[in-house]
Amino acid sequence: SSDVCSSDLFTGTYARAALIHDALYQSEALSRSDCDDIFYDVMYTCGSNWITRYTLWVAVRTFGGFV
């Protein structure tokens, strides 16, 4: 299925978004900012509540460059 949210392999409404974010970030095909924004958008699409989306987005924006 092309639905990014449909897998049972991972738990949490943010898990798929994290995998996509990490793959995009590692590929260096997009800017860090674009990867972080896609992370937020996929969390939204997968049903993460706004507190989770915002908290995790702030975390990757704040600390993502140090990893």
Side-chain angles (χ1 to χ4, degrees):
S1 168
S2 64
D3 180 4
V4 70
C5 305
S6 64
S7 176
D8 293 325
L9 296 174
F10 305 97
T11 59
T13 55
Y14 56 86
R16 280 292 177 146
L19 291 173
I20 291 167
H21 173 266
D22 291 354
L24 288 172
Y25 190 76
Q26 186 176 24
S27 76
E28 298 180 351
L30 300 171
S31 70
R32 182 174 155 239
S33 178
D34 286 343
C35 293
D36 295 347
D37 290 345
I38 290 169
F39 177 56
Y40 185 91
D41 292 342
V42 174
M43 284 191 292
Y44 177 83
T45 299
C46 291
S48 294
N49 65 54
W50 73 269
I51 295 170
T52 299
R53 289 192 311 265
Y54 182 74
T55 301
L56 294 177
W57 180 83
V58 167
V60 296
R61 290 304 303 145
T62 304
F63 302 110
F66 298 112
V67 178

